[in-house]
Amino acid sequence: MSQENLTTENILQRLPAPLLDWYRANARDLPWRRTRDPYRIWVSEIMLQQTRVAAVLGYYARFLTAFPTVEALAAAPEERLMKLWEGLGYYSRARNLQKTARIVAEQGGRFPDTYAGLLKLPGIGDYTAGAIASAAFGQREAAVDGNVLRVVMRLTDCHDDIADPKVKKAVRAQVQAVMPETAEDIRVFNQATMELGATVCAPNGPPRCLECPARDFCLGRLRGTAEDLPVKGAKKPRRVEERTVFLLLRQGQVALRKRPKTGLLAGLWEFPNAEGTLDEAAASAVVESWGLTPKQWESRLTAKHIFTHVEWHMTGYTLEVAGDGPADFVWAGAEELGERAVPSAFARYSEEAKRRLGGWKED
DNA sequence: AACACGTGGAT
DNA sequence: TATCCAAGTGT
């Protein structure tokens, strides 16, 4: 077929046959591909949202050991749930996971087996509903994630902005139209399209077109545009926030407090901190405003943490204090600190706190 | 529609 | 060091 005769429709129509063959020979062996249990597939899909496979694997195994069933997850204490999610990011995923677990447990532990039914559940959007409906139930539903978007835009040499919801919707319709018909081929097709995007038609750098089962009819490759696709709108610059973090030590304990229920790192534990980069005098005033008496200033520790949309520049003070502080302060020993979910943003301070508490002995 | 929402690996 | 951005969803 000449390049001029390749249209979006017939390019995508040519995809399934070679893609399925390629996948059957080249698929990675991933734990969630070894099951059709909707619970296990669902947990994997939530963890994989905006998160790399390599980062998920360990969390996935630990999570399923802790919560082998949807009922166990529904009944989990918040602290245990968040501790298991600690470091994985996007923590509302874990809270929505439990909300959905409770809904499903109320229905006798049965997940909805349709795209529309799944879509109603908290944390399950367009992509995830399609992924679960197909992988767990063999339903003929497209699952269009970032991988699929990239594959389709390159195959069809389409320069539309993939951040535009209209473009995503159109791609979903195009993919839906060429999906195979049997349950087994449907499962493989969705997995295979994502696998191709993750391993061959990959982001960051040139695609490995020589290994691609679609190389003969990929318009992006034939026209040399593949590496520049997909087109994505410019992202907003991050704002910078200055914080002063306090490692308040008191007889083998360190002060922690719970973050607000909404917003960044909602409901996770943090070391008390204040806005701004404070010098020792200003920091001392903050400590006293908490009703604490600074006894000995020990060290200063700076750290930077970059989130997607904000950047924290932190200055930390470690100090021995006397007093209890505000009512929402919790004084944690080494063991208790290890049981609380403290986000990676505070990693340098968590490490320092563990060092200080680890060697501490009563008397 | 546009923005909030984490983290860490790759380049 | 800087930038990208990943198996997206909720508001």
Side-chain angles (χ1 to χ4, degrees):
Chain A
M1 185 182 289
S2 73
Q3 184 173 318
E4 287 67 32
N5 290 332
L6 290 173
T7 65
T8 295
E9 289 71 25
N10 64 34
I11 288 170
L12 293 181
Q13 280 163 6
R14 290 178 65 176
L15 180 61
L19 178 64
L20 268 52
D21 288 344
W22 170 84
Y23 180 82
R24 289 181 165 119
N26 294 285
R28 290 170 294 176
D29 180 16
L30 300 174
W32 44 86
R33 289 178 175 166
R34 289 171 162 265
T35 181
R36 290 182 184 180
D37 177 358
Y39 174 66
R40 294 184 166 237
I41 289 169
W42 165 62
V43 170
S44 77
E45 290 300 344
I46 302 301
M47 286 190 172
L48 286 162
Q49 289 170 0
Q50 295 288 288
T51 309
R52 295 173 193 286
V53 166
V56 166
L57 288 170
Y59 284 88
Y60 184 68
R62 285 190 295 275
F63 195 93
L64 290 180
T65 298
F67 309 127
T69 64
V70 70
E71 290 81 10
L73 174 55
E78 179 194 3
E79 290 302 333
R80 185 156 150 72
L81 172 64
M82 298 317 291
K83 185 66 189 177
L84 281 159
W85 208 271
E86 180 187 58
L88 197 52
Y90 287 139
Y91 298 95
S92 66
R93 291 185 295 174
R95 299 181 188 285
N96 283 148
L97 205 64
Q98 190 169 49
K99 281 187 194 167
T100 286
R102 288 174 174 166
I103 293 168
V104 170
E106 283 297 308
Q107 302 169 168
R110 282 184 295 278
F111 280 81
D113 62 358
T114 63
Y115 172 85
L118 289 159
L119 193 57
K120 292 177 184 165
L121 297 169
I124 297 182
D126 188 61
Y127 158 75
T128 305
I132 299 173
S134 59
F137 302 111
Q139 300 278 343
R140 190 170 177 280
E141 298 289 353
V144 176
D145 70 341
N147 288 312
V148 178
L149 241 16
R150 182 171 54 257
V151 167
V152 170
M153 300 318 255
R154 286 176 173 174
L155 279 175
T156 61
D157 189 33
C158 175
H159 295 245
D160 293 346
D161 182 355
I162 61 167
D164 184 344
K166 290 193 298 291
V167 174
K168 286 186 192 173
K169 192 177 171 189
V171 170
R172 180 173 147 71
Q174 290 162 8
V175 173
Q176 183 73 39
V178 302
M179 297 238 342
E181 300 291 340
T182 71
E184 193 42 49
D185 282 354
I186 285 162
R187 289 186 166 94
V188 172
F189 177 80
N190 278 347
Q191 289 299 310
T193 317
M194 291 189 279
E195 185 78 354
L196 186 67
T199 64
V200 172
C201 197
N204 299 324
R208 304 136 82 108
C209 297
L210 297 182
E211 302 170 37
C212 183
R215 60 184 174 275
D216 293 341
F217 51 90
C218 177
L219 217 44
R221 183 179 89 83
L222 295 170
R223 291 181 180 164
T225 58
E227 193 171 351
D228 302 318
L229 293 171
V231 173
K232 228 170 155 180
K235 32 266 146 207
K236 231 181 86 174
R238 282 187 295 270
R239 68 177 181 277
V240 174
E241 291 183 3
E242 315 278 341
R243 308 290 306 179
T244 299
V245 179
F246 296 90
L247 244 44
L248 304 170
L249 300 170
R250 187 187 80 172
Q251 299 165 51
Q253 299 176 313
V254 65
L256 291 174
R257 69 180 180 191
K258 209 170 199 258
R259 291 181 58 82
K261 284 186 182 350
T262 59
L264 188 63
L265 307 172
L268 299 196
W269 293 88
E270 67 178 1
F271 301 103
N273 57 84
E275 186 176 355
T277 301
L278 308 180
D279 62 21
E280 203 161 309
S284 187
V286 169
V287 172
E288 282 165 23
S289 79
W290 284 331
L292 297 169
T293 308
K295 300 177 73 172
Q296 189 182 0
W297 291 79
E298 296 193 13
S299 65
R300 192 164 179 280
L301 180 62
T302 63
K304 181 166 77 169
H305 188 81
I306 301 173
F307 300 92
T308 304
H309 58 297
V310 57
E311 190 171 321
W312 279 358
H313 293 183
M314 293 171 281
T315 296
Y317 292 103
T318 302
L319 62 158
E320 291 282 345
V321 298
D324 292 336
D328 66 338
F329 278 23
V330 166
W331 295 88
E335 187 177 349
E336 188 177 350
L337 175 61
E339 293 167 354
R340 310 267 180 184
V342 180
S344 302
F346 295 100
R348 284 192 74 173
Y349 302 102
S350 294
E351 287 161 17
E352 178 65 8
K354 280 170 192 158
R355 262 197 298 281
R356 297 304 186 112
L357 301 184
W360 194 88
K361 298 258 192 327
E362 188 86 35
D363 272 358

